[in-house]
Amino acid sequence: MLKVEKLSKSFNGHQVLKDLTVDFPEHQTTVILGPSGSGKSTLLRSLNLLERPEAGKYYFDQQIFDFAKGISSKDTLAIRRQTEMVFQGYNLFPHLTVLKNIMEGPIQVLGSKKAAAEVLARQLLAKVSLADKADAYPNQLSGGQAQRVAIARSLAMQPKYILLDEPTSALDPELELEVLKVLLQLSEEKKSLVIVTHNLAFASKAADKIVFIENGQVLFDDSKQAFFAAEQQPRIKDFISAMTFAKL
Amino acid sequence: MWEIIKTALPQLIAAGLKYTIPIALISFAIGLVIALITALIRISTRGGFFKLIKLIFRFYVWLFRSTPLLVQLFIVYFGLPYLKISGLAPNGIKLDPLTAGIITFSLNTGAYCSETIRAAILSIPNGQWEAAYSLGMTKVKALRRIILPQALRVSVPPLANSFISLVKDTSLAASITIVEMFEVSQQIAAENYQPLVMYCLVALLYAVACTILSWLQGYLEKVTSRYVVAGH
């Protein structure tokens, strides 16, 4: 179980997260929606401790951490092993081949044997339909391929949660589709996913739960059925209308 | 003239192999270690007592980049014997010329190279650190496995620049009584009254050494850039 409670975070005096409380159930896909600058990326990055909120509690399984008191480096490493980030810009390691990108975490962090890590990496590459790219370098890949490698790299750590920060925002629709298919498959396998996205079609298909964030606060937190039927909430209605270009 | 060259060349090459090349290689190796340590300390974000250490290293880089190398050699070789520290060095610090030369060259090239390495590390996008951290790597591991290998590629051309400069700068060691290549050429010129031929000859030898180093640089760039595919 992953949950944050009363999270507050400011950048240069601008409060990005305001007393934000939300939980992310295991084996479900949580989609975080919201306009740009609403704080959704900051929230996601806080889950991986790439951002440190000034205040708030962080619940991971049986453990509770308090951001106000700080989280030790030992605990930080432990949490990061269980939560893997997939970035909008992929952030693959350009000096390593695709295969080595995926093997790097298990070998260096989990202490896996090289042979075992390679078997796992090849399985994961096959899973994201890139078995033939094992020996390629990242800059030989298309954006869609690079992002699928990044997803495989995160899966190799066998984390409890995978956190995806606008994973398809840099991709054109065809490449986006390649990545979304992989994510949909992971969602159907009941992996615990938290995805920040602008893609409502994907949200409506894959999400178990939708969290809508605006101005650093949770405006909506419920099932996707409730979200898309949110007639009584004008802000959400407007957002859906804008995202689907209904009034163009 | 060929007679002159034929007698002088072996002596010059011998001096080059005995002093110029070893001084350059050893000083650069030590300089690189100093440079890496200095760069890592200077990019560290730790506070407290560490800030003082950072300040000291910043002072070191400033000092060696802001004063002439020749003057630095003079201070270390001719000046330090007069630095009398009671208890530690009551009779001053007397170094033999070779040691004084290597220490000075190492510190000088270390100061310049530290800026190269620091800039190379800072040029690696923050996303690389974040990806490494997200996998659960410590800072040291992220640096060693992810950041430094990429920074190395960026820093090969400027580091090669520094090394080539150093090879030529070793000629200054002549001024602190080291009989390296340039000193030998001066000695021969004083005997045979052929300064033009002798100094052109020694210049040519430096040029040959630096050309070989440029080739080596090209090879190193190729090796470290294997992952950068043309056209991207």
Side-chain angles (χ1 to χ4, degrees):
Chain A
M1 196 261 315
L2 181 57
K3 181 184 171 186
V4 286
E5 193 178 83
K6 290 188 172 299
L7 224 50
S8 288
K9 171 76 183 167
S10 300
F11 291 109
N12 304 323
H14 172 69
Q15 202 172 358
V16 181
L17 300 178
K18 299 169 187 162
D19 261 353
L20 186 145
T21 300
V22 64
D23 70 299
F24 306 94
E26 248 174 271
H27 309 297
Q28 289 193 19
T29 298
T30 305
V31 169
I32 304 177
L33 297 171
S36 296
S38 59
K40 51 195 194 308
S41 275
T42 305
L43 167 64
L44 196 76
R45 290 165 56 81
S46 299
L47 299 180
N48 197 224
L49 307 181
L50 290 175
E51 303 290 351
R52 302 296 177 117
E54 290 96 40
K57 292 216 165 65
Y58 186 107
Y59 296 77
F60 196 93
D61 288 343
Q62 312 313 323
Q63 291 168 289
I64 306 172
F65 303 96
D66 190 343
F67 280 116
K69 287 183 191 149
I71 299 176
S72 72
S73 6
K74 188 168 155 265
D75 289 333
T76 301
L77 292 177
I79 289 171
R80 283 187 179 149
R81 270 179 214 189
Q82 301 284 349
T83 55
E84 286 307 318
M85 194 90 177
V86 173
F87 302 89
Q88 184 182 346
Y90 332 126
N91 295 353
L92 293 178
F93 305 131
H95 60 301
L96 301 177
T97 62
V98 162
L99 192 70
K100 294 236 167 89
N101 259 278
I102 302 171
M103 292 162 62
E104 186 70 5
I107 291 176
Q108 294 298 326
V109 177
L110 303 179
S112 305
K113 290 271 181 296
K114 212 180 152 207
E118 185 174 336
V119 170
L120 176 65
R122 288 195 187 277
Q123 279 171 5
L124 291 170
L125 271 179
K127 186 182 176 105
V128 298
S129 320
L130 288 172
D132 55 327
K133 294 288 182 192
D135 297 319
Y137 281 99
N139 75 345
Q140 295 170 296
L141 304 176
S142 73
Q145 291 169 337
Q147 196 57 297
R148 283 183 284 154
V149 172
I151 292 168
R153 178 174 69 177
S154 71
L155 287 169
M157 294 298 288
Q158 297 172 318
K160 280 217 163 124
Y161 283 85
I162 298 181
L163 315 168
L164 303 106
D165 190 6
E166 302 200 26
T168 61
S169 293
L171 303 174
D172 67 46
E174 277 184 314
L175 300 182
E176 181 170 18
L177 188 64
E178 292 175 359
V179 175
L180 292 180
K181 278 182 181 164
V182 170
L183 293 180
L184 195 61
Q185 189 193 343
L186 295 181
S187 174
E188 281 161 2
E189 286 170 14
K190 296 292 165 205
K191 290 264 189 308
S192 313
L193 305 178
V194 182
I195 309 179
V196 169
T197 182
H198 287 297
N199 191 315
L200 283 191
F202 175 75
S204 70
K205 198 147 191 185
D208 295 298
K209 164 177 164 134
I210 288 182
V211 178
F212 183 85
I213 293 180
E214 188 160 52
N215 296 326
Q217 288 170 312
V218 175
L219 235 66
F220 178 93
D221 179 356
D222 206 337
S223 70
K224 68 178 171 208
Q225 290 80 5
F227 181 80
F228 288 101
E231 297 291 330
Q232 70 284 13
Q233 288 205 41
R235 178 63 190 108
I236 287 168
K237 223 174 129 185
D238 285 351
F239 182 78
I240 294 173
S241 155
M243 295 300 281
T244 52
F245 300 100
K247 284 181 184 150
L248 190 70
Chain B
M1 192 174 79
W2 289 115
E3 249 346 276
I4 304 167
I5 295 175
K6 242 161 79 182
T7 42
L9 200 58
Q11 297 179 57
L12 290 175
I13 291 176
L17 291 177
K18 195 171 173 206
Y19 289 110
T20 303
I21 292 174
I23 290 175
L25 279 176
I26 295 170
S27 303
F28 195 65
I30 299 173
L32 275 185
V33 174
I34 296 173
L36 182 63
I37 294 169
T38 307
L40 291 179
I41 286 173
R42 289 198 58 196
I43 57 166
S44 152
T45 47
R46 267 204 249 178
F49 174 66
F50 211 76
K51 276 198 172 149
L52 181 70
I53 297 175
K54 276 174 82 168
L55 209 67
I56 293 170
F57 275 82
R58 223 175 122 177
F59 173 73
Y60 149 66
V61 173
W62 170 81
L63 187 69
F64 276 83
R65 292 204 313 164
S66 312
T67 53
L69 177 54
L70 184 58
V71 177
Q72 293 164 13
L73 281 166
F74 270 51
I75 292 175
V76 173
Y77 182 63
F78 296 114
L80 287 189
Y82 294 90
L83 179 70
K84 295 183 169 67
I85 310 163
S86 57
L88 253 143
N91 301 318
I93 301 166
K94 289 195 185 83
L95 299 167
D96 67 88
L98 203 57
T99 313
I102 287 173
I103 288 176
T104 314
F105 287 128
S106 303
L107 286 170
N108 185 278
T109 202
Y112 281 96
C113 293
S114 78
E115 287 294 275
T116 300
I117 294 175
R118 189 170 72 93
I121 292 173
L122 293 176
S123 78
I124 305 305
N126 205 28
Q128 291 293 308
W129 285 100
E130 292 190 343
Y133 286 154
S134 185
L135 287 177
M137 286 192 191
T138 59
K139 194 167 187 173
V140 172
K141 198 156 252 180
L143 196 67
R144 195 165 59 79
R145 297 287 312 174
I146 307 302
I147 305 300
L148 283 182
Q150 296 181 59
L152 178 71
R153 183 183 81 84
V154 184
S155 54
V156 165
L159 286 180
N161 246 353
S162 296
F163 190 40
I164 287 171
S165 285
L166 176 63
V167 169
K168 292 178 292 176
D169 286 345
T170 55
S171 60
L172 294 173
S175 63
I176 58 164
T177 75
I178 296 177
V179 243
E180 47 63 67
M181 213 158 61
F182 180 53
E183 172 67 25
V184 170
S185 75
Q186 283 179 298
Q187 289 172 357
I188 300 174
E191 286 166 16
N192 66 10
Y193 303 109
Q194 294 285 349
L196 180 65
V197 178
M198 286 316 299
Y199 295 144
C200 286
L201 188 60
V202 78
L204 184 72
L205 286 179
Y206 281 110
V208 168
C210 292
T211 307
I212 294 171
L213 286 177
S214 299
W215 290 339
L216 197 68
Q217 173 191 347
Y219 171 75
L220 270 179
E221 279 183 41
K222 224 165 129 185
V223 169
T224 54
S225 299
R226 262 177 313 199
Y227 63 84
V228 183
V229 184
H232 282 267

